[in-house]
Amino acid sequence: MMPVLSSVNVGSVSSGLAVPPSESAPLVALIFLSSSSLNGSLMSRLFISTRGYRFLCLLPRRRRDENSLLSLKIHFAGERNEPKEEECEPFCLTDSGLTAVADGFAKLEKLSLIWCSNVTSFGVMSLAQKCSLLKSLDLQGCYVGDQGLAVVGQCCKQLEDLNLRFCESLTDSGLVTLATECGKSLKSLGVAACARITDKSLEAVGSHCKNLETLSLDSEFISNKGILAIAQGCPLLKVLKLQCINVTDRALMAVGASCLSLEMLALYSFQQFTDEGLRSIGKGCKKLKNLTLSDCNFLGDRGLEAIATGCTELTHLEVNGCHNIGTIGLESVGKSCPRLTELALLYCQRVGNFALTEVGRGCKYLQALHLVDCSSIGDDAICSIAKGCRNLKKLHIRRCYEVGSKGIVAVGENCHSLTDLSLRFCDRVRDEALIAVGHGCPLKYLNVSGCNQIGDAGIVAVARGCPNLTYLDVSVLQNLCDIALTELGEGCPLLKDIVLSHCHQITDIGLSHLVKNCQMLESCHMVYCPSITAAGVATVVSSCPNIKKVLVEKWKVSPRTKRRASSVLSYLCVDL
C-alpha cells in the first residue's frame, strides 16, 4: 500500500521526487516522502512556500489524470538566509501558479494562501471556477478584491471556512455577495484589518449564514448594529472573538440572549464593555467553556463573578491586563468552576494569594497555570495550587517576584505529572527548588532564565532526574559552570534546544561535554558568553548532526566554521 503524506515540515526530509535541475532551485519547502506518494494514494496535507512557484506549474503536468490532492497550504515561509526582496520576486506565487494548481487538482477541498500578496482576484476566480468542491479557503494577506470573492460565493457552494484577515482591498460588496450565494454552508468566518468591511456585511452574514459557528472580528468599523445582526441571525454560534472598539454592552447582551450554544468568547481591547455585558453572558451562555478577557479596563470582579456562577462548565480562563479584576473575581472561579483546566493571569496586579487558594481547593483538574507580572501572588498561592491541583502539567511564572523556593518545592513534592516549567526572572527561586522538581517531576521543558540564585546544584538535579528533557533555557545564570553542562550531557540525551546566553562561566570545555552525548541537539543559543570561543562554536557545529541553528556573535565564528555551517549560523549583533 502506498504511503499517505500527512504533514511535512520545511527542509526536514530530502525530496524523493526527481525535479529537473533547472526547475529545482526555487523549491525550498515542498517535500515528498517518496515519488510513489505523488502517483499513488491520497495526499491529505501539503506545505509549500511562495518560492516553490515554478514547481507548482510542474505538478499538473505530472499528474493530469490524478486529482487526489485535497489540502494545500501555501505561505510565505521565512527562511534562515532570506534573499533580498528583488531576488524573491520572481519566485513568489502569482495568479499563474494558482491557476496551475486549479488546473491540476479539481477536487481540492482545503487551500491556505497566507501572505501571498501577488495573488489577486483573477487567480482566485480561476481557482473557484475549477475547484468547486472547496470547503476551506484562507486568503490572509492576499490582494483579493470583491470580484474574486463574489466568484468564490457563486462557484463554491460547499465552502465552510473562510479567512479574510488583512484582505485590505475588499469592500462590503464582495462579502455580501459571498454570504448571499453560499451562506448556507459557511460555518467559520474571520475578518481583520479590512477597513471597508462594515456592519452591512455582518447584516448579510446574519441573514444568510444560519449555520455559522465561528466568527472572528478585528475592526474599528464594526459597531453594535453588526454584532446584533450576528447574534439574532446565527443562533448556532459557538466561537466569538471580538476586537471592535466601537462595540458596547448592548452587543454582549444580545449575544447572551440569543447565542445559547456559545462555548468560546474572547474580548480584546474593549474600553466600553462593563460588568453588565458579562452578566448577560453569564446568564444566557451556560455552555461557555473558554473565556479570554484582554485589556478590558472597565470589567471588574462582579462581571467575572457572574461568569463563574452562570458558566460552571468553564475550562479555560485568561485574564490579561484587566486592572479592575482582582481577588474576589478569581475566588468565585475557584468556588464555582470545578472543571477548570487552564488559568492564565497576565498583568493582574490586584489578584492576591487567596484567589489561587480557592482555585487550589476547587479546581482539582487544573493542568496549566500561567502567571505574568502578578506582584501580589507569592509562595502561599503556589503551595495551595501544588497541594490541590496534583494533575498540573504546565506551570509558567514570569516576573512574579514574591514567588520563591517554598512554592516551587511544593510543586516538586506534589505535582508528579509536571512536564513543562518556566520560572523566568523569579529571582527568589534557589537551587533547592530545582532539586525538589528534579526528584519529583518528569520535566521535558524547563526555562529558568534570569533566576540568578540558581547554580550548578539545581541544574545537576534536573539533569539526573529528568532524562526526557528536550528544552532548557538557563540564560543569565551567572553562577552556572561547566559541571552543569557535563551532567546535562550525561543525563539528558534527548535534549534538542538549549539557551546559554549571558552565562559568563560556561566555557568550551562544558560545551564539548554537552554535545558529546546530546546528539539530537537542534539549536544552541550562546551569545554574550565571554568564555566561549571560536573553538567552542566549531565543536557544536561539528559534533551535532541534527543542528539547525546556532546563535552566536559573528566575530566568534572562524572562516572554516562559516564555510562548513553557514546555513545554521545566526548572529544577534553582527558588528560585535
Side-chain angles (χ1 to χ4, degrees):
M1 182 177 179
M2 298 293 185
V4 176
L5 180 59
S6 59
S7 179
V8 179
N9 290 321
V10 175
S12 59
V13 184
S14 298
S15 174
L17 187 65
V19 182
S22 60
E23 303 289 353
S24 62
L27 179 60
V28 294
L30 180 62
I31 300 166
F32 293 101
L33 292 180
S34 68
S35 58
S36 60
S37 302
L38 186 63
N39 300 316
S41 60
L42 178 124
M43 291 185 291
S44 63
R45 190 170 297 276
L46 196 60
F47 296 85
I48 186 169
S49 83
T50 53
R51 295 184 67 209
Y53 158 69
R54 291 182 183 174
F55 191 76
L56 282 177
C57 298
L58 294 176
L59 279 176
R61 295 206 303 267
R62 291 176 182 274
R63 43 196 309 258
R64 292 281 182 186
D65 58 339
E66 181 61 61
N67 284 316
S68 62
L69 183 67
L70 295 185
S71 177
L72 180 63
K73 178 177 285 189
I74 305 173
H75 60 98
F76 188 84
E79 296 169 42
R80 192 174 284 117
N81 296 312
E82 195 69 54
K84 296 179 180 179
E85 186 175 347
E86 58 267 24
E87 295 173 348
C88 282
E89 189 66 22
F91 304 126
C92 290
L93 182 75
T94 65
D95 292 336
S96 298
L98 194 55
T99 300
V101 171
D103 285 336
F105 305 110
K107 294 182 180 180
L108 196 66
E109 294 181 0
K110 296 182 180 181
L111 178 63
S112 181
L113 304 169
I114 300 178
W115 297 111
C116 295
S117 56
N118 285 347
V119 170
T120 70
S121 285
F122 296 106
V124 173
M125 289 165 59
S126 176
L127 174 82
Q129 291 165 351
K130 297 169 183 175
C131 301
S132 59
L133 300 179
L134 208 60
K135 293 182 179 180
S136 177
L137 181 60
D138 191 337
L139 297 174
Q140 177 172 318
C142 297
Y143 197 75
V144 178
D146 295 332
Q147 190 178 10
L149 200 60
V151 174
V152 170
Q154 293 162 5
C155 297
C156 304
K157 300 298 185 181
Q158 299 182 40
L159 190 68
E160 297 179 357
D161 184 359
L162 177 64
N163 185 9
L164 301 175
R165 292 176 62 84
F166 302 103
C167 294
E168 298 177 355
S169 57
L170 287 177
T171 72
D172 286 328
S173 175
L175 188 49
V176 168
T177 302
L178 181 132
T180 304
E181 294 287 347
C182 69
K184 291 182 180 180
S185 63
L186 200 63
K187 294 183 179 180
S188 177
L189 175 64
V191 177
C194 300
R196 292 183 283 178
I197 297 286
T198 69
D199 291 330
K200 184 178 179 181
S201 290
L202 294 194
E203 289 178 310
V205 171
S207 296
H208 299 283
C209 306
K210 302 298 182 182
N211 294 314
L212 194 71
E213 297 180 357
T214 299
L215 177 64
S216 177
L217 292 175
D218 181 354
S219 173
E220 57 187 277
F221 303 100
I222 300 295
S223 67
N224 285 338
K225 187 177 180 181
I227 305 301
L228 287 171
I230 294 293
Q232 294 165 3
C234 305
L236 301 181
L237 200 65
K238 294 182 180 180
V239 177
L240 179 61
K241 301 178 182 179
L242 296 177
Q243 186 165 342
C244 306
I245 61 175
N246 293 315
V247 173
T248 69
D249 282 335
R250 186 177 169 217
L252 268 194
M253 290 175 182
V255 171
S258 301
C259 301
L260 306 184
S261 298
L262 197 68
E263 296 180 3
M264 178 180 179
L265 176 64
L267 306 176
Y268 301 97
S269 302
F270 280 97
Q271 304 303 317
Q272 300 189 54
F273 280 164
T274 70
D275 290 339
E276 291 301 317
L278 277 192
R279 284 176 181 168
S280 298
I281 297 295
K283 183 178 179 180
C285 303
K286 301 299 183 181
K287 296 182 180 180
L288 192 70
K289 296 180 180 180
N290 191 318
L291 176 64
T292 295
L293 305 173
S294 181
D295 295 319
C296 300
N297 291 334
F298 293 101
L299 296 180
D301 288 331
R302 291 184 179 180
L304 193 54
E305 275 187 286
I307 291 289
T309 55
C311 308
T312 57
E313 300 293 316
L314 202 67
T315 60
H316 292 72
L317 174 62
E318 177 180 331
V319 181
N320 183 349
C322 301
H323 302 301
N324 286 317
I325 292 179
T327 301
I328 295 174
L330 268 299
E331 284 180 31
S332 300
V333 172
K335 292 175 181 177
S336 303
C337 303
R339 292 177 176 81
L340 195 70
T341 59
E342 183 167 1
L343 174 62
L345 303 176
L346 315 177
Y347 313 102
C348 296
Q349 306 292 340
R350 296 184 57 202
V351 176
N353 283 334
F354 198 66
L356 291 192
T357 298
E358 287 297 335
V359 171
R361 288 173 182 167
C363 305
K364 305 298 183 184
Y365 301 106
L366 192 72
Q367 295 183 14
L369 176 63
H370 306 256
L371 303 173
V372 176
D373 278 0
C374 296
S375 58
S376 299
I377 290 178
D379 281 333
D380 290 343
I382 303 303
C383 287
S384 298
I385 291 292
K387 294 174 182 177
C389 308
R390 293 173 181 261
N391 293 315
L392 199 68
K393 295 180 180 179
K394 177 188 290 188
L395 177 62
H396 283 201
I397 305 176
R398 188 172 76 202
R399 292 195 303 268
C400 295
Y401 299 117
E402 295 301 313
V403 174
S405 294
K406 178 182 176 183
I408 306 305
V409 167
V411 170
E413 292 174 347
N414 294 280
C415 302
H416 300 309
S417 297
L418 192 75
T419 59
D420 187 340
L421 176 63
S422 179
L423 302 170
R424 296 178 63 190
F425 297 97
C426 295
D427 55 10
R428 294 182 62 237
V429 176
R430 298 184 297 274
D431 282 330
E432 58 262 33
L434 285 196
I435 291 173
V437 168
H439 289 163
C441 306
L443 289 185
K444 295 181 179 179
Y445 179 106
L446 176 64
N447 188 336
V448 287
S449 174
C451 298
N452 53 38
Q453 294 199 55
I454 289 177
D456 288 333
I459 301 302
V460 167
V462 169
R464 293 176 179 176
C466 306
N468 293 320
L469 195 71
T470 60
Y471 179 95
L472 178 64
D473 187 339
V474 290
S475 55
V476 205
L477 297 194
Q478 305 299 326
N479 299 319
L480 200 68
C481 299
D482 288 338
I483 187 173
L485 294 194
T486 301
E487 292 283 347
L488 286 167
E490 294 178 359
C492 303
L494 302 181
L495 194 65
K496 290 185 177 180
D497 304 282
I498 189 165
V499 182
L500 302 169
S501 301
H502 296 273
C503 291
H504 291 176
Q505 298 189 51
I506 296 294
T507 73
D508 295 343
I509 296 174
L511 273 182
S512 65
H513 285 292
L514 174 74
V515 301
K516 180 180 179 181
N517 294 314
C518 293
Q519 293 293 292
M520 298 182 69
L521 201 66
E522 295 181 358
S523 75
C524 181
H525 293 200
M526 45 186 177
V527 294
Y528 305 123
C529 297
S531 298
I532 291 178
T533 70
V537 176
T539 298
V540 172
V541 168
S542 61
S543 302
C544 302
N546 296 311
I547 199 71
K548 296 178 181 177
K549 181 177 181 180
V550 175
L551 183 63
V552 68
E553 295 92 335
K554 190 174 185 178
W555 63 268
K556 287 186 178 180
V557 181
S558 68
R560 184 170 184 266
T561 300
K562 203 173 292 186
R563 288 194 301 271
R564 293 181 59 186
S566 62
S567 63
V568 305
L569 294 169
S570 296
Y571 308 113
L572 183 63
C573 298
V574 295
D575 295 327
L576 282 178

